[in-house]
Amino acid sequence: MPSYVITGASRGIGVSFLLPASALLNDTHIEPIYAQREFVNQLSKDPQNVVFGIVRSTQSSTTLLELQKSRPNVHVLQADITDVPSLKAAAAEVAKVTGGSLDYLINNAAQVFNERFKLTISAYSDEKVLEDDLIDAFRINVVGVVHTTNAFLPLLRQGTAKKVITLSTPISIPEVTLVTDFAANAPYCVSKAALNQVVTKYAVAHRDEGFTFLNISPGVVNTFERPPTPEELEFFQDAFPKFRKASPDWNGNPITPERSVELMLSVIDKVTVKDTGAFLSHWGNQKWL
Ligand SMILES: NC(=O)c1ccc[n+]([C@@H]2O[C@H](COP(=O)([O-])OP(=O)(O)OC[C@H]3O[C@@H](n4cnc5c(N)ncnc54)[C@H](OP(=O)(O)O)[C@@H]3O)[C@@H](O)[C@H]2O)c1
């Protein structure tokens, strides 16, 4: 029975408020469509899979708890990826269910935005706030993923798949940043750039053990759980044309979590130890959007 741990299963690429690009770019009419926590949802459709969704708060993860009621192969565990004891406790819970092994770890949790997402790195008026934003993003997006990976590594060694999948973004890549002129949301992009190298370090350290460490980009995915604010709309109206400079074929529509996860799972299925350390898109190549 293949086993999966997914962090950040409470929302986001777990859940969506469907926001078509036309709504983002042209008007404010938005159809709310709540999807299931998507990695957990798609993986647990197969009763052969055992799926552990890690959330910061089980109490507020109501959709996931609902899903757990109808699918006995879903387990909801509480841990903060910056809190090592909570991760070790979650790993111990997983071991109890699986008998001490784990096949797949999907490092999905991240801090994507904070309230200063529109600022460029030189536009902060307060150096302390800039420093805190950079350190917070690093603590969650880099150190948090390292702690998570290390907490589950002993179980993954006992698994058969030995795959560790980490979600990253092309706006962490210097060449893409130069082409897109995307200067905003710097702490996030900088921390994801460091995370890319973390994945490479794990890849070379564990290749001989048969591990596949993969960086994957999910595409531009609509993860809004509420209508965007005017400030957010303005941000996307500026960002999307920039993203198209790197991906001229992109139609400008964010994809749904369903589609993104469906595509990523197919890539995750295909990669082998020969691909360890690669950074692939949801298409399985470097076509980012
Ligand atoms: N959406 C996109 O277009 C896009 C594009 C490129 C890459 N990505 C990547 O895809 C992944 C998911 O993105 P998303 O858009 O779904 O993000 P999101 O909607 O902001 O959701 C982030 C998730 O991470 C969890 N999280 C944050 N900090 C945590 C912590 N310290 N410990 C445990 N969980 C924590 C959140 O839990 P709470 O509910 O408790 O806050 C939430 O479940 C991220 O790695 C992101 O970088 C997304």
Side-chain angles (χ1 to χ4, degrees):
M1 290 175 91
S3 50
Y4 295 81
V5 164
I6 298 111
T7 64
S10 62
R11 61 183 163 91
I13 284 173
V15 72
S16 75
F17 190 108
L18 192 63
L19 188 69
S22 56
L24 270 175
L25 299 175
N26 303 323
D27 62 57
T28 50
H29 174 72
I30 290 153
E31 287 295 323
I33 301 177
Y34 284 94
Q36 301 283 10
R37 274 62 186 152
E38 205 46 38
F39 267 123
V40 177
N41 178 39
Q42 290 190 24
L43 288 167
S44 63
K45 276 182 188 161
D46 181 347
Q48 290 302 310
N49 292 336
V50 187
V51 186
F52 301 89
I54 296 201
V55 298
R56 265 195 292 199
S57 158
T58 38
Q59 255 182 344
S60 56
S61 301
T62 43
T63 314
L64 201 56
L65 293 173
E66 276 305 309
L67 187 65
Q68 186 183 29
K69 279 186 198 158
S70 58
R71 296 193 189 161
N73 59 340
V74 171
H75 303 263
V76 184
L77 301 174
Q78 189 165 305
D80 186 310
I81 63 165
T82 63
D83 176 34
V84 174
S86 73
L87 287 165
K88 286 189 173 167
E93 288 302 314
V94 170
K96 273 188 211 163
V97 176
T98 62
S101 68
L102 175 66
D103 293 308
Y104 299 83
L105 169 64
I106 303 182
N107 284 312
N108 170 66
Q111 182 199 67
V112 181
F113 291 116
N114 71 9
E115 55 272 36
R116 288 167 293 282
F117 61 92
K118 280 169 72 179
L119 293 184
T120 64
I121 204 159
S122 47
Y124 279 71
S125 54
D126 184 328
E127 287 83 5
K128 180 73 173 83
V129 175
L130 169 63
E131 183 178 318
D132 287 350
D133 279 2
L134 286 165
I135 291 170
D136 266 4
F138 194 89
R139 196 170 49 83
I140 299 166
N141 297 344
V142 183
V143 184
V145 173
V146 171
H147 284 326
T148 309
T149 306
N150 288 346
F152 287 100
L153 209 51
L155 303 190
L156 286 156
R157 281 200 175 97
Q158 303 307 316
T160 47
K162 294 188 173 59
K163 291 189 185 181
V164 180
I165 312 300
T166 300
L167 275 81
S168 189
T169 172
I171 50 176
S172 64
I173 301 172
E175 292 76 11
V176 175
T177 308
L178 286 168
V179 173
T180 57
D181 282 326
F182 185 71
N185 212 6
Y188 170 68
C189 298
V190 169
S191 65
K192 287 286 185 175
L195 180 62
N196 299 341
Q197 181 67 342
V198 162
V199 172
T200 320
K201 287 290 191 188
Y202 274 112
V204 294
H206 299 282
R207 187 176 8 220
D208 291 348
E209 290 176 81
F211 272 91
T212 307
F213 281 86
L214 178 72
N215 246 330
I216 194 162
S217 165
V220 171
V221 188
N222 176 2
T223 53
F224 270 88
E225 294 187 307
R226 52 164 175 77
T229 62
E231 196 189 15
E232 287 165 343
L233 275 178
E234 193 192 320
F235 173 78
F236 289 117
Q237 280 164 347
D238 175 62
F240 284 11
K242 286 182 170 159
F243 294 167
R244 287 183 80 169
K245 289 195 214 166
S247 300
D249 297 343
W250 183 46
N251 63 9
N253 291 324
I255 56 174
T256 62
E258 290 91 327
R259 180 73 178 136
S260 171
V261 168
E262 193 181 284
L263 290 166
M264 284 192 286
L265 287 178
S266 142
V267 177
I268 293 167
D269 190 45
K270 285 189 195 116
V271 289
T272 70
V273 68
K274 286 190 193 134
D275 304 299
T276 196
F279 186 175
L280 302 176
S281 72
H282 51 310
W283 302 114
N285 51 30
Q286 267 89 35
K287 173 175 143 44
W288 300 114
L289 297 178

